[in-house]
Amino acid sequence: MRKVKTNPNLYFDYRDVKTLQRYIDVYGRIEPIAKTGLTAKQQRQLAVAVKRARHLALLPFVAER
């Protein structure tokens, strides 16, 4: 498991694709909270940011084969 040290000031922006890609697995799914080590609030912010980035075609919905 890959645990990330939680930073209370961590904020996810949908335009920061490089950071968002760290929390997406090879299949294009958002990593679970047990693997990311984020707080529940940060995990929700991450999910919203990833969904916005997908909607704007900054991130793929599914991984390429």
Side-chain angles (χ1 to χ4, degrees):
M1 279 191 210
R2 175 183 48 165
K3 287 268 187 174
V4 177
K5 186 172 181 177
T6 57
N7 181 358
N9 298 326
L10 186 63
Y11 177 75
F12 295 103
D13 188 19
Y14 68 94
R15 294 171 288 183
D16 189 9
V17 177
K18 192 149 188 103
T19 303
L20 295 178
Q21 286 177 337
R22 292 180 51 213
Y23 297 99
I24 295 178
D25 66 2
V26 295
Y27 299 108
R29 298 180 299 204
I30 302 171
E31 295 283 355
I33 197 167
K35 213 169 198 183
T36 61
L38 300 172
T39 63
K41 184 176 181 179
Q42 290 170 338
Q43 187 75 16
R44 288 191 301 270
Q45 288 176 348
L46 171 67
V48 169
V50 168
K51 290 174 185 179
R52 284 182 182 166
R54 285 175 178 165
H55 186 72
L56 294 172
L58 300 174
L59 286 174
F61 278 92
V62 294
E64 299 175 18
R65 287 189 181 209

